[in-house]
Structure formats: C-alpha cells, structure tokens
Amino acid sequence: MAIASQEVSPARFSAQLRSNALQTRIMDLILERGLDVGDALPTESELSAELGVGRNTVRESLKVLQALGVIEIRHGFGMFVAPNNFSALVSGLTFRGRLSLRHKGEEAMELIDVRQALESGLIGPAINLLTDEHLADLRSTMEAMETAAKNGEPLHDHDAEFHRRLYAPLNNELLINLMDVFWQVYRKIHLALGTGPVNLEQQTQDHWDIFDAVANKDKALASERLQRHFDGIRLKLKDVAAA
Amino acid sequence: MAIASQEVSPARFSAQLRSNALQTRIMDLILERGLDVGDALPTESELSAELGVGRNTVRESLKVLQALGVIEIRHGFGMFVAPNNFSALVSGLTFRGRLSLRHKGEEAMELIDVRQALESGLIGPAINLLTDEHLADLRSTMEAMETAAKNGEPLHDHDAEFHRRLYAPLNNELLINLMDVFWQVYRKIHLALGTGPVNLEQQTQDHWDIFDAVANKDKALASERLQRHFDGIRLKLKDVAAA
DNA sequence: TTTCGGACATTGGACGTCCCATCTCCTGTA
DNA sequence: TACAGGAGATGGGACGTCCAATGTCCGAAA
C-alpha cells in the first residue's frame, strides 16, 4: 500500500477533506469557466467524467453545493449557478437552536443577541441613507400589519417585511439575507415550541414606535427602541422555553 | 420495507422538497431520540432501512447535514451529532465573494460592511462585560502579534485571534462563529486575489490603538477605531480588486 | 504481568448500472 | 394560430459491489 497514489487521493488526507476538495473543484470549475449567476453547469455525467469521479460521488457534492446556496438544481432541466440564497442556513441553525433549547436554550438566546446587535447597531447607518421612498415602503408595511392585527391575523410576515425594509437603504444583500435567516430560525424555533399567547396590538404598537423614531431620523431613539423590542422577544422566548 | 414510513413521497412534491424533507427527517430523528452533541447516529445502513430510502440517497442528505455542521462523519467509526461548527459557511460565502469580485466586488464589500457593523456595534457591550482576564488575554495576543510583525511573519492568525478575543466577554458562540466565518471568507478572497504589499507595523499599531481604547473602557473611541480599521480594510480590498 | 502489533469486524467512501420522474421543446393536429 | 402530446435530455433514486479507514481485541513477546 501507500505506493503514493498521487493523482487525487493520497489517502493521507482524511475523507472529509477529500469530499470537501471535490466541492472546491466544482466551485473552481465554475469560476474558471466564467460562469455567472443563472448560467448552466455541465450535466452530472459530464462533471463525473471531467472530474474523474463517479456520478454518485459528484451528486453528493452537488447536493452539498445546493445546500450551501452555490448552485440550483432543477430536476429534468439542469443545474445552474444560484443567486444569493442563504435559505440553506436556516435548517442547520434551526436544528442547533432546537437542540440547545432542550438544555437551557443558550444558543437560541445567542441568536437573538446577534439579531439585536446587528439591527440596533445598523439602524443609524440605515437612517442616514433613508429616502422618502424607503419610508413610504415602511409605512405601507406598517399599515398592512395594523390591518392584519385588527383582523386577528398572524403578523409574522409583516414583521419580517418590516425588519427587511428597515435595512433596505443599506443596499447590502448579505445583511438582508443574514437577517432573514435569523428571523426564520427564530420563527421555526418558536413554532416548534408552540407559540404562547400573542398580543397583536402590543406587537403592532412596538413596531409603530420604531417606525416613528426612524421617520424622525432619531437614530438614538430608534436604536434604543429596537433594543427593547428584542429584549421583549428574548423574554417571550424564555417564557415559552420554560413551559 | 416502507411499512413504517407512511406516505412521504407522493411525487407531488418537487424533488427538491423531498430531498430537503429527508434532511429534516434525519434531524427530527436526532431530536426525537434525544441525541445530544457527541452522540452517535445510526449507521448509514440502519438509517437507510429506517427511513425507507436507498443508502445513496441517505448519504446525500448526510453529506448535506455534515456541510451544514449538524453532524460529523468519521470514516470507519460512525456519525455523530456535531458541536457547533460554521466552517461549512465559509466555502459557500467564499464562492459568492469570489464570484462577485469578477464584477464589482459588491458582495465582498458587503461582507466587510457586516463585519464592521457587528464589531463596532458590539464592542460596547463587550467592554461592559470585560474582565481583567479577558484584557490579559487580549494583551498577550497583541504581544504575539508584535513579535510576529518584528520577525516579518504574517499576522493573520494573530489578527483573527485578536478579534475573536475582543468579543469573548459576550460569551456568544454564535457570534464568535459568525465573525470567524466572515474573517475566513475575507482571508480566502484576499488570498485568491493575491495580497498586495502589507505594512506589518501599521497593522500592528492599528490593533494596539483599538486595544488601548478597549483597555480604557472607552466605548466610543473603541467603536470609532474599529470603524476606521474596517475602512482601511475596505480600501485595501478595493485596491487589490482593481488590479 | 505488561505492552505492542496485527487480524478482524464495523462503518463510511466510491462507483456502476438500471430505471423513474420531471422538465423543455418541438412537432403535429385541430 | 393555438394547444395537446410526445420525444429527448437531465436529474432523482435504488441496489449491489468493492475499497478504505478506524477502533477493538486477542495473542505473542518482553
């Protein structure tokens, strides 16, 4: 053995590294060929042949790349370079959150902490770049939320939309994606635990308060109210976890 | 065979959803059995039998879960619930960053923006919780960095360590992991572009400045210096990308 | 008795092949 | 011209087979 089977698999590298290397090779292939978002990748068979590995092996890597949001796989059609998409993170983070909730829920709380830091820390810069259009969008979202609250409908979609639009002025897709992920994970954990009683009016009012501060371009106040908003969320989560 | 697994694949759901569902089923299985970090999962064959799907299919899902940091796969030994691990994100984000750099590098810049927001926004809370031990750790890291700089050695490890320890007082693993991911992605993009000339002394001094502000518990100053630190990084990246 | 090394079982890794599911596109028909 | 339906391409999935890595355990040697 160990006849130095150079080539690709020196057996010295752990299997994990090898599988990771395959993923990297595929990503490099995309970059080398100058493929851009939306462009088609070679078919599974072609990749299998070009990379010199079996189709099943390639498929495993492709699935991973899909999970990482690198490519999009469309059954019966082909594979394409995916637009930015962090939805994959959601399931992984949700799992961790639920796992931690069985103990003391530290990780779920950590998630809130990060959201809180990101949002209350970035509201200032966002307000700096806020235009009238952005504000109008925000207001219409709030009005939709209010309507929903009056009809006793769940607010989570409007809630998510509000937070998303709050930071739209920053024009930072990565940030929006991250916040979306965190939001969804929080949502899922909350759902898995069973939602406690919700006060729709209070929730709406909280958001109106934040909106007012933003509309007045009062960065400090907006930041503080966001801070409090998350404090409330944290308490609520703690209650539910305790039950 | 499919006795236990009641209608899971009515062919109505797109393949993508089905594959996602398999991952979810595995995660649910972990949660239902009360497995905790470090505990062993059933073998691939067992999972294949229990879930009523082929071993290759299970493997694809397992690889994805591994990539998401949910499980750890050890060849010849078994599979285990993994400790928190975000290394998977690195490759995906790095890919996106490199892809975007071919155009105008917006996404790489967005990454810096998020790091900047997170770090300069969280330095205040971190200082609030800072203990003498933390400060001592930070100082020793800085001294190591200075030594490295004098020897002309690369600073990136010390740099990463510094930023990590800066936020250790917050005791938020998710945050540390995220910042680590961002750091590594930045690193990889930078490496892929080829590093321009580096001024080791200047870099070290920048960090000393931040350290001094933190040691004096001057939150505003620390935040401002971090802000500037990232401004510098941003400029540097822009230079390299232009070349 | 202790220690070291190798055989062995277990478990994941890789591949090939076959067939199914789904999509797009094109062709033929009304 | 418009729509229905089929052909072909492509990914999805399932086995079966063999390879490789790892931990365990037992026996030989010191």
Side-chain angles (χ1 to χ4, degrees), chain A residues 50-66:
Chain A
E50 283 181 44
L51 301 177
V53 293
R55 186 176 159 228
N56 273 326
T57 313
V58 171
R59 270 172 60 76
E60 283 175 5
S61 286
L62 289 172
K63 279 295 191 72
V64 170
L65 291 183
Q66 181 192 35

Side-chain angles (χ1 to χ4, degrees), chain B residues 2 7-8 10 14 34 40 50 78 87 106 108 114 122 124 150 186 189 212 243:
Chain B
E7 39 91 34
V8 249
S14 85
E50 282 183 44
S87 61
E106 310 110 353
V114 173
L122 279 167
K150 278 178 182 156
Y186 164 71
I189 294 176
D212 288 341

Side-chain angles (χ1 to χ4, degrees), chain A residues 27 51 60 66 97 113 119 145 174-175 214 224 242:
Chain A
M27 289 193 286
L51 301 177
E60 283 175 5
Q66 181 192 35
D113 288 345
E119 298 211 17
M145 186 189 293
L174 174 64
L175 173 72
V214 171
E224 190 211 315

